[in-house]
Amino acid sequence: MDKVQVEILGLSASPSTGGAYALLLKEVYGLRRLPIIIGSFEAQSIALEIEGIKAPRPLTHDLMKILLDHLGATVAEVLIDELRDNTFYAKIKLEVSSLTHEIDSRPSDAIALAVRTGSPIYVSEDVMRLASFVPSSEDVEEGVNPEEEDEFEEPKPMHEKRPISKEGRIAELQDQLREAIEKEDYERAAKLRDEINRLKGTN
């Protein structure tokens, strides 16, 4: 089977799909993009790992990785290999004691595991031909998702008498980030981390 390696380009809320998220994959050695609609839990799991946010207790995909590590199994690759009735299908290729096993999986679970194990992500050429697109312009900076910026609603401080400095705002957001992680509100934690990174990147 012909396959192409892809990487995660972006992840954003998809209002038209009832709270689901759009995961955008990019061909590593090409221009094609492949959008996949995934659930909010899987989107949060992928986003948290990419952002380096560690949950106080293992999430489902963290637990999967821990189990594989203890069993001596390695995720060789994940492959999105089929598109049927507008639904994507994937396989996780495991190597255990010189034996190879292919496990059926949803693409979102396979990718959430791949980002934790550093495993390559592939898409079959047939699926890319059916569902991918080539962007009309390469001028948009990769990895920046304008929808996510609009999605973050900055908390309004009460009884504020004077403008707060950027450093003070970052410290405030970091406190909120710690609180969100402790409460296991990972969606808010990911948004707060995005806002902190945005502020640190501005002069």
Side-chain angles (χ1 to χ4, degrees):
M1 175 191 297
D2 292 336
K3 61 186 181 181
V4 296
Q5 188 172 357
V6 297
E7 59 188 3
I8 297 172
L9 182 59
L11 186 65
S12 64
S14 181
S16 62
T17 54
Y21 284 72
L23 174 67
L24 186 61
L25 302 175
K26 174 189 179 297
E27 190 176 15
V28 172
Y29 303 108
L31 301 177
R32 291 178 295 179
R33 311 285 198 264
L34 179 68
I36 299 178
I37 302 301
I38 64 175
S40 60
F41 172 78
E42 292 78 12
Q44 289 175 30
S45 181
I46 292 169
L48 287 173
E49 185 64 25
I50 290 174
E51 292 292 335
I53 300 174
K54 297 300 179 185
R57 297 182 298 172
L59 300 177
T60 301
H61 300 106
D62 298 321
L63 181 59
M64 290 169 62
K65 180 183 183 300
I66 292 169
L67 289 171
L68 291 175
D69 289 344
H70 279 275
L71 292 170
T74 301
V75 179
E77 65 180 47
V78 302
L79 171 66
I80 301 171
D81 62 344
E82 194 174 354
L83 176 60
R84 206 167 59 236
D85 298 326
N86 293 321
T87 300
F88 291 95
Y89 295 81
K91 286 185 173 62
I92 300 171
K93 183 177 179 182
L94 295 179
E95 293 182 350
V96 189
S97 302
S98 303
L99 298 175
T100 299
H101 305 271
E102 285 191 348
I103 311 297
D104 289 332
S105 170
R106 296 183 304 174
S108 54
D109 290 325
I111 291 171
L113 185 58
V115 296
R116 284 164 169 75
T117 58
S119 307
I121 304 168
Y122 293 95
V123 179
S124 75
E125 181 59 43
D126 288 342
V127 171
M128 289 295 285
R129 190 162 48 245
L130 286 171
S132 69
F133 69 95
V134 176
S136 57
S137 171
E138 288 294 316
D139 295 335
V140 178
E141 182 181 353
E142 292 182 359
V144 174
N145 196 329
E147 289 184 48
E148 289 184 347
E149 289 190 15
D150 293 338
E151 189 184 328
F152 181 86
E153 183 176 349
E154 189 173 2
K156 299 178 177 59
M158 298 177 63
H159 310 300
E160 186 173 320
K161 300 293 185 182
R162 58 184 177 181
I164 190 169
S165 67
K166 185 174 75 171
E167 291 75 15
R169 182 69 185 132
I170 291 174
E172 179 182 304
L173 289 171
Q174 286 173 335
D175 288 338
Q176 294 178 25
L177 174 61
R178 282 191 292 272
E179 182 180 344
I181 293 174
E182 288 172 1
K183 292 180 178 179
E184 299 186 9
D185 186 352
Y186 302 123
E187 183 174 3
R188 176 165 174 75
K191 294 175 184 177
L192 286 165
R193 176 59 61 86
D194 289 343
E195 180 66 4
I196 290 169
N197 290 339
R198 185 185 70 79
L199 287 172
K200 285 181 177 180
T202 58
N203 295 322

